[in-house]
Amino acid sequence: MIRLEHVTKSFHGRRAVDAVSLTMHPGEIFGIVGPDGAGKTTVMRLIAGLLRADKGNITVLGSQNIENVKDSLGYVPQKFSLYGDLTVLENIRVVGALYGRSDADLMHKATEVLAFTKLLPFAHRLADHLSGGMKQKLALAAGLMHQPKLFLLDEPTTGVDPVSRREFWQMLYQLNHTGTTIVVSTPYMDEAELCSRIAFMHSGRVVACASPRELTASYPYKLVEVQTTDRRVKSCLTGLVRDVNVFGDKLHLSLEDAASVLPAIRERLMAAGFGNIPLREVPPTLEDIFVAMAGEVG
Amino acid sequence: MRRLRALLLKEFIQMKRDRLTFAMMVGLPIIQLLVFGFAINTDVKHLSTVVFDQSLQQESRDLLGAFTASEYFDIKYTARSYQEVADIIEQGKAKVGIIIPPDFSDSIKHSRSAAVQVIVDASDSMAASSAISTAQLIGQLKSEEILVKKLQAAGAQKPARPYDIRIRPWYNPDLVSAFYMVPGILGIILTMTMVMITSMAIVRERERGTLEQLIVTPLKSYELMLGKIIPYIFVGYIQATLALAVGIVVFDLPMQGSLALLYGLTTLFIVASLALGILISTVTRTQMQAMQLSFFIFLPSILLSGFMFPREAMPDFFRMIGYLLPLTYYLEIMRGIVLKGVGVSFLWTQILALCVFITVMLTVSILKFQKRLV
Ligand SMILES: Nc1ncnc2c1ncn2[C@@H]1O[C@H](COP(=O)(O)OP(=O)(O)OP(=O)(O)O)[C@@H](O)[C@H]1O
Ligand SMILES: [Mg+2]
């Protein structure tokens, strides 16, 4: 469906995307995951043909020339890119017509798409007057007007409240069930778990690409969760653990081997006066894995 | 076709919602025409004048009467010394000083030359030159009148003038500058608004980020350009119509030629200006840059097109630059149709020039515009 081969893109001499090779298959929900500035948007724009790669090949839907496949490609930019001075309905009708839909067809499809995104009650509201989450739904709706086979969404849920995010993902799943291939970028690990495959990006490079299950299975260390945020815990454990990371109100200790080190950890904590803090071994989450990988690549 | 229609629909809705801009596009031509039309009045009449009449006789009153009757001089001050005349002119209260010597009547009666001094504040060269030529003319006429009277008194027949040169200003017989200015101002207004609006058109979408959504669609570059041009042709029509109406109603502009031809060729000029704006919009990256580049076009348009200064008097280099401006051709067209009433057969060169201009601008824009960001 999409194939990137050694794709490189620099801005002012800085590599935003560095020799990226990726393959996305039909029917997937493919996630491009990474922190701010990792190069997610740049990859999305390269795929959508909005930027030209400095090096490498990009094949989308079997074609190297994006103009040939634009009819089958939907794209929702990270930044809201519809017209604030047009209403919801006007916006999606204009986009639909830009994809060549006939007038009769337009109204029918627009109603369907607005119903799907639950925007029907707001059809006549100016886009400028929508909340952030509704704007993203509108962008999604606009992208659906031509029923694309391949749908690219760049950080569609950044800055959107948790309820709307969940709704948004439900819509993506529904679309995926009806046969749309989805490529979505996100900085959120909980969303990464929802993808069928993910590529983890860090400073322009893909450091891992696999399904969430494969990634968690490949984690070579043991994890112990400590129910504290006290920073002194970290210093009193030096030498025993490979790494300590803060996860909300907990600490995750990454260990070479839990069975042998755990008693020593308890001893140290006891000695330092943290004896009553609960410890337990937990399976790794994607976040643990990405933190570990980001640490390895610097 | 559907894509172009969608784009046009969008542009018209946006135009409708942006009331302020629309009001400006409509109000601007009326206000500018009134301001320019009244302010840039190149016929300088009613110059404030100070008189120091030391003779105070029938003859001097007669001469001053001739000055007033010409309508070029309004005698507003009477001075009692040479110094007072100088002061009044110095203070800018008067532009012209007329000084009549004490022996004025005597000189005339005894057939000696009577010297009348006319002082002109030449810092305003336009006013000065019309004052000077009128004063000279009055002097000549008055001398002639007195000579003829004397000859007749001596029993001679009224002699025929040896030369009789009659100048007849065609096309604008009363030399009303508004007639000449109104078509020019219309051209300037159209240039300014048309170039400015379209120069913003594409960069604005780029700056707001909406271009990102537009260029992932199958929209073609030429469709985007047309979508940005066509709506403003209508705005241009409204402006041209308002400006012409003001010209005819307020300034009594004569409409000699065919109105249909005028509108047809105005369309050509509007499209040329829009195409120029589109080119600016494709080569710039921000609205600020586009604005600056537009201003860079306005200045030569005003100075070198023949709007302000006659092109015949320009050095070759600047006249050549004038040939690159659509306004140059449009002024020739407008003045031709409005003042001379010429038909299309006299305007082929200008029409051809505008067509070439449009083709070049649009081709370069379409080639230059990449359906990409950055
Ligand atoms: N148009 C551009 N001009 C210059 N630099 C750019 C441009 N677009 C991106 N970059 C740079 O490239 C790098 C990658 O940016 P990109 O937007 O792809 O990251 P991202 O993963 O989408 O981050 P974010 O979560 O902030 O959206 C950043 O350092 C950014 O500053
Ligand atoms: Mg981004």
Side-chain angles (χ1 to χ4, degrees):
Chain A
M1 201 107 203
I2 303 178
R3 195 184 185 84
L4 289 92
E5 295 164 297
H6 303 289
V7 173
T8 297
K9 175 76 189 175
S10 306
F11 295 109
H12 317 295
R14 273 195 64 236
R15 289 197 173 176
V17 168
D18 192 356
V20 164
S21 295
L22 282 175
T23 307
M24 294 143 199
H25 305 296
E28 281 190 315
I29 297 186
F30 191 95
I32 298 177
V33 188
D36 287 353
K40 305 180 293 293
T41 298
T42 310
V43 167
M44 286 292 202
R45 286 178 167 173
L46 284 164
I47 297 172
L50 292 167
L51 294 173
R52 195 207 293 271
D54 300 335
K55 273 192 235 133
N57 285 321
I58 302 175
T59 314
V60 179
L61 294 159
S63 170
Q64 299 227 10
N65 180 359
I66 193 76
E67 289 299 323
N68 295 338
V69 294
K70 282 197 164 165
D71 282 322
S72 318
L73 177 74
Y75 170 67
V76 176
Q78 176 173 356
K79 183 170 170 282
F80 183 71
S81 301
L82 293 166
Y83 298 95
D85 47 355
L86 262 57
T87 64
V88 168
L89 186 61
E90 284 164 350
N91 263 305
I92 64 168
R93 288 190 62 153
V94 165
V95 172
L98 286 176
Y99 280 102
R101 277 199 179 266
S102 71
D103 281 352
D105 208 11
L106 264 180
M107 204 54 218
H108 173 246
K109 186 69 190 173
T111 321
E112 181 192 317
V113 162
L114 287 182
F116 176 70
T117 50
K118 305 194 176 64
L119 282 176
L120 261 183
F122 310 104
H124 297 288
R125 190 179 285 194
L126 289 184
D128 265 345
H129 299 165
L130 295 176
S131 70
M134 286 207 282
K135 273 191 181 158
Q136 286 311 90
K137 282 187 200 165
L138 172 57
L140 177 84
L144 291 176
M145 280 301 284
H146 64 296
Q147 269 182 325
K149 285 213 254 329
L150 172 62
F151 204 11
L152 308 172
L153 299 106
D154 190 10
E155 295 184 43
T157 56
T158 302
V160 171
D161 69 85
V163 179
S164 302
R165 268 172 63 189
R166 188 190 301 259
E167 261 183 5
F168 204 90
W169 271 89
Q170 277 166 3
M171 289 176 202
L172 292 189
Y173 264 86
Q174 281 181 43
L175 284 174
N176 186 243
H177 279 309
T178 55
T180 313
T181 307
I182 289 173
V183 178
V184 57
S185 74
T186 177
Y188 301 123
M189 293 308 156
D190 55 335
E191 291 187 352
E193 312 257 9
L194 301 172
C195 300
S196 51
R197 255 176 359 117
I198 46 183
F200 177 54
M201 286 194 74
H202 188 81
S203 38
R205 267 168 294 177
V206 172
V207 288
C209 180
S211 70
R213 191 175 306 169
E214 284 165 350
L215 280 172
T216 36
S218 71
Y219 191 68
Y221 312 112
K222 296 282 180 254
L223 270 183
V224 170
E225 192 175 80
V226 189
Q227 199 81 35
T228 181
T229 46
D230 200 317
R231 290 184 175 276
R232 284 171 301 169
V233 171
K234 190 172 176 177
S235 50
C236 80
L237 291 177
T238 36
L240 277 177
V241 298
R242 357 175 350 271
D243 201 6
V244 180
N245 287 296
V246 185
F247 273 66
D249 60 347
K250 302 180 187 83
L251 291 179
H252 279 196
L253 316 179
S254 162
L255 315 172
E256 300 287 350
D257 177 19
S260 62
V261 192
L262 213 47
I265 291 176
R266 282 194 208 283
E267 237 167 73
R268 284 247 194 121
L269 287 178
M270 198 79 83
F274 295 113
N276 51 353
I277 296 176
L279 292 184
R280 68 188 173 102
E281 202 179 330
V282 289
T285 63
L286 278 178
E287 196 158 353
D288 294 301
I289 290 151
F290 290 139
V291 167
M293 283 177 173
E296 276 162 28
V297 296
Chain B
M1 212 46 217
R2 276 185 197 148
R3 291 191 294 254
L4 182 55
R5 251 186 50 210
L7 212 55
L8 291 179
L9 176 73
K10 182 213 112 196
E11 293 289 335
F12 277 117
I13 296 176
Q14 288 185 310
M15 212 191 282
K16 199 180 74 192
R17 303 252 157 92
D18 191 359
R19 295 260 168 78
L20 185 67
T21 309
F22 193 75
M24 251 166 52
M25 289 189 294
V26 174
L28 208 68
I30 300 180
I31 294 167
Q32 285 199 331
L33 200 63
L34 290 175
V35 169
F36 273 101
F38 283 121
I40 310 185
N41 203 341
T42 49
D43 353 295
V44 190
K45 285 194 171 175
H46 304 288
L47 293 166
S48 164
T49 304
V50 51
V51 170
F52 177 30
D53 185 355
Q54 302 168 76
S55 157
L56 293 165
Q57 303 279 318
Q58 171 63 36
E59 284 79 2
S60 64
R61 278 197 290 275
D62 196 31
L63 180 69
L64 289 176
F67 271 91
T68 320
S70 75
E71 290 191 6
Y72 280 82
F73 305 93
D74 281 358
I75 298 177
K76 292 222 177 116
Y77 304 95
T78 328
R80 257 159 278 114
S81 70
Y82 194 88
Q83 188 54 45
E84 206 181 332
V85 175
D87 287 345
I88 287 176
I89 294 180
E90 180 120 310
Q91 290 158 14
K93 289 189 199 153
K95 291 248 182 268
V96 182
I98 302 175
I99 296 162
I100 298 176
D103 59 348
F104 183 74
S105 307
D106 276 0
S107 299
I108 290 176
K109 282 176 193 143
H110 298 104
S111 299
R112 275 181 276 126
S113 246
V116 175
Q117 199 179 352
V118 177
I119 301 166
V120 177
D121 172 1
S123 51
D124 178 353
S125 64
M126 194 104 77
S129 66
S130 80
I132 291 168
S133 55
T134 315
Q136 276 170 343
L137 195 64
I138 291 170
Q140 272 168 22
L141 289 174
K142 276 285 161 198
S143 309
E144 206 174 277
E145 202 181 297
I146 292 169
L147 274 177
V148 169
K149 267 189 203 149
K150 288 204 168 157
L151 285 172
Q152 279 174 329
Q157 290 254 304
K158 185 179 178 179
R161 271 196 208 146
Y163 296 114
D164 185 7
I165 296 174
R166 292 183 190 183
I167 295 171
R168 214 158 270 156
W170 274 19
Y171 307 129
N172 186 359
D174 296 325
L175 291 172
V176 185
S177 63
F179 291 0
Y180 199 64
M181 295 306 282
V182 169
I185 296 165
L186 170 57
I188 292 282
I189 293 169
L190 283 179
T191 307
M192 294 224 281
T193 34
M194 297 293 106
V195 173
M196 186 85 90
I197 290 170
T198 37
S199 72
M200 297 293 165
I202 293 171
V203 275
R204 186 173 48 227
E205 300 236 9
R206 198 182 281 281
E207 273 193 348
R208 288 194 186 162
T210 49
L211 195 66
E212 190 164 354
Q213 185 68 249
L214 267 190
I215 59 186
V216 290
T217 71
L219 185 71
K220 303 269 185 297
S221 301
Y222 76 88
E223 291 170 327
L224 179 61
M225 309 282 156
L226 287 180
K228 291 291 180 188
I229 286 179
I230 294 171
Y232 296 105
I233 295 181
F234 291 98
V235 176
Y237 271 143
I238 297 176
Q239 291 195 325
T241 309
L242 287 173
L244 278 178
V246 171
I248 291 168
V249 173
V250 181
F251 297 107
D252 296 320
L253 185 72
M255 186 56 219
Q256 304 285 358
S258 143
L259 206 56
L261 182 63
L262 184 81
Y263 270 89
L265 299 186
T266 298
T267 314
L268 209 57
F269 174 66
I270 291 174
V271 174
S273 305
L274 293 173
L276 178 60
I278 288 283
L279 181 62
I280 293 177
S281 210
T282 50
V283 298
T284 50
R285 278 294 173 271
T286 63
Q287 294 193 64
M288 199 59 207
Q289 290 173 352
M291 182 97 90
Q292 283 165 348
L293 204 53
S294 307
F295 276 115
F296 188 71
I297 304 283
F298 296 154
L299 211 57
S301 288
I302 291 175
L303 297 178
L304 304 180
S305 64
F307 169 69
M308 287 279 256
F309 309 112
R311 282 172 41 74
E312 293 71 20
M314 284 175 198
D316 284 345
F317 174 71
F318 291 106
R319 210 175 52 240
M320 290 303 155
I321 295 181
Y323 282 126
L324 299 176
L325 301 164
L327 185 60
T328 304
Y329 303 101
Y330 186 60
L331 287 186
E332 288 169 4
I333 291 174
M334 278 297 281
R335 286 171 178 161
I337 297 178
V338 175
L339 301 179
K340 303 186 197 172
V342 300
V344 70
S345 54
F346 288 89
L347 299 171
W348 278 121
T349 24
Q350 287 83 356
I351 293 173
L352 200 69
L354 286 180
C355 289
V356 170
F357 187 87
I358 293 171
T359 316
V360 171
M361 291 293 133
L362 285 185
T363 314
V364 176
S365 304
I366 291 170
L367 293 180
K368 197 86 195 117
F369 180 73
Q370 302 275 322
K371 281 186 75 184
R372 289 213 176 77
L373 299 173
V374 188

